[in-house]
Amino acid sequence: MKIELDTVYNMDCLDLMREMVSQGIKADWCITDPPYGIGADKDLRANTQYGQALAKSKQYGKKEWDTRRIAKEYFDLIREVSKEQIIFGGNYYTDFLPPSSCWIVWDKENGDNGYADCELAWSSYKGAVRICRYKWQGMLQGDMKNKETRIHPTQKPRPVIDWLLNKYTKEGDLILDPFMGSFTTAVSCHKLKRRFIGAELDEEYFALGQDRLKHETAQLSIFDIGGSNGL
């Protein structure tokens, strides 16, 4: 296969990254959220009001993508096919990743309930620890006027990925996401004029993500046309 830019493939990301190696394609950044092996695919809190949350948790359906930690080979290939990396859940893989001075903390502004206050992302970037604050508390989101539909249990909000792209990348950079999930990285890249390559193995999430990307890019294109006409 010939890898096309601005494309997400329904395939195992190991195969995609091996193809990148063989075709001499190297991304400027890999920004991704791999499985951690913590059972997030089991939908254990579906339709329950957990830890003083204001509303019941959404039902996503049980899957099999988070049954165990992924192998070191994934991280070795990620580092081979990208110049710099930001990896959510890197705290679960410190035995596979080198020490970092630039951990990124996503403060979810969850308030007083049983859910985690934040998530950590490991970064290869040579800088200081940084904090991104964005509320992501069930039905409550940081931008209630533009609420995102959550299609994946570990979905990252677009403003968080936008923040990463704006802070660490530049227009025209090629961004790799081997675990595309809900396609947030692809949507943010399109919005902020970055190129992207991605993979998502689960057929259901791939189909939902493709629909989301088509819808979001169509909406953004309409706004671009309106802006160019002074509307």
Side-chain angles (χ1 to χ4, degrees):
M1 64 178 258
K2 185 181 187 312
I3 295 176
E4 304 287 342
L5 300 189
D6 301 329
T7 304
V8 181
Y9 293 91
N10 184 201
M11 64 188 298
D12 190 316
C13 65
L14 282 179
D15 295 329
L16 176 65
M17 290 189 287
R18 288 167 184 151
E19 282 293 331
M20 291 177 67
V21 172
S22 67
Q23 295 179 37
I25 299 172
K26 191 159 190 169
D28 296 291
W29 281 85
C30 174
I31 299 177
T32 195
D33 183 23
Y36 313 151
I38 60 173
D41 58 333
K42 300 306 179 188
D43 211 14
L44 297 175
R45 296 172 182 166
N47 204 33
T48 62
Q49 206 156 341
Y50 173 76
Q52 302 181 44
L54 297 178
K56 292 181 178 180
S57 297
K58 182 176 177 178
Q59 291 181 306
Y60 293 97
K62 293 184 179 181
K63 296 277 190 178
E64 295 294 328
W65 51 266
D66 197 31
T67 56
R68 61 186 182 277
R69 295 200 318 160
I70 59 174
K72 182 175 181 291
E73 181 183 8
Y74 287 85
F75 297 98
D76 292 342
L77 272 171
I78 283 172
R79 296 176 69 198
E80 183 174 355
V81 298
S82 59
K83 299 173 185 175
E84 300 279 3
Q85 303 85 33
I86 294 173
I87 301 174
F88 280 95
N91 46 307
Y92 292 96
Y93 291 104
T94 54
D95 51 339
F96 295 163
L97 297 167
S100 172
S101 65
C102 185
W103 284 87
I104 296 164
V105 181
W106 168 29
D107 179 357
K108 297 181 176 182
E109 300 185 343
N110 268 344
D112 187 15
N113 59 48
Y115 292 99
D117 293 339
C118 67
E119 288 190 26
L120 301 177
W122 176 92
S123 173
S124 63
Y125 190 73
K126 305 304 180 189
V129 173
R130 297 298 177 207
I131 300 175
C132 171
R133 293 182 173 88
Y134 187 80
K135 182 182 288 292
W136 195 244
Q137 185 186 342
M139 64 182 180
L140 301 178
Q141 299 182 15
D143 184 0
M144 293 296 286
K145 292 182 179 179
N146 298 286
K147 283 190 69 175
E148 295 178 66
T149 300
R150 297 175 69 160
I151 62 177
H152 193 286
T154 63
Q155 181 169 325
K156 297 297 175 285
R158 201 174 84 188
V160 170
I161 303 301
D162 287 354
W163 184 89
L164 293 173
L165 291 175
N166 282 322
K167 189 167 188 66
Y168 295 105
T169 77
K170 63 182 184 299
E171 192 171 310
D173 275 357
L174 176 59
I175 313 299
L176 167 67
D177 188 347
F179 303 94
M180 190 61 80
S182 59
F183 280 50
T184 302
T185 304
V187 172
S188 289
C189 284
H190 179 83
K191 173 189 173 187
L192 297 176
K193 297 181 173 57
R194 274 67 165 168
R195 314 301 301 272
F196 64 86
I197 301 173
E200 174 52 46
L201 183 60
D202 186 280
E203 292 184 0
E204 180 184 2
Y205 287 136
F206 178 78
L208 290 170
Q210 287 281 58
D211 288 344
R212 180 189 181 195
L213 180 60
K214 289 176 183 176
H215 174 75
E216 296 277 4
T217 53
Q219 290 293 107
L220 290 169
S221 297
I222 290 171
F223 291 134
D224 288 343
I225 293 171
S228 65
N229 290 333
L231 300 177

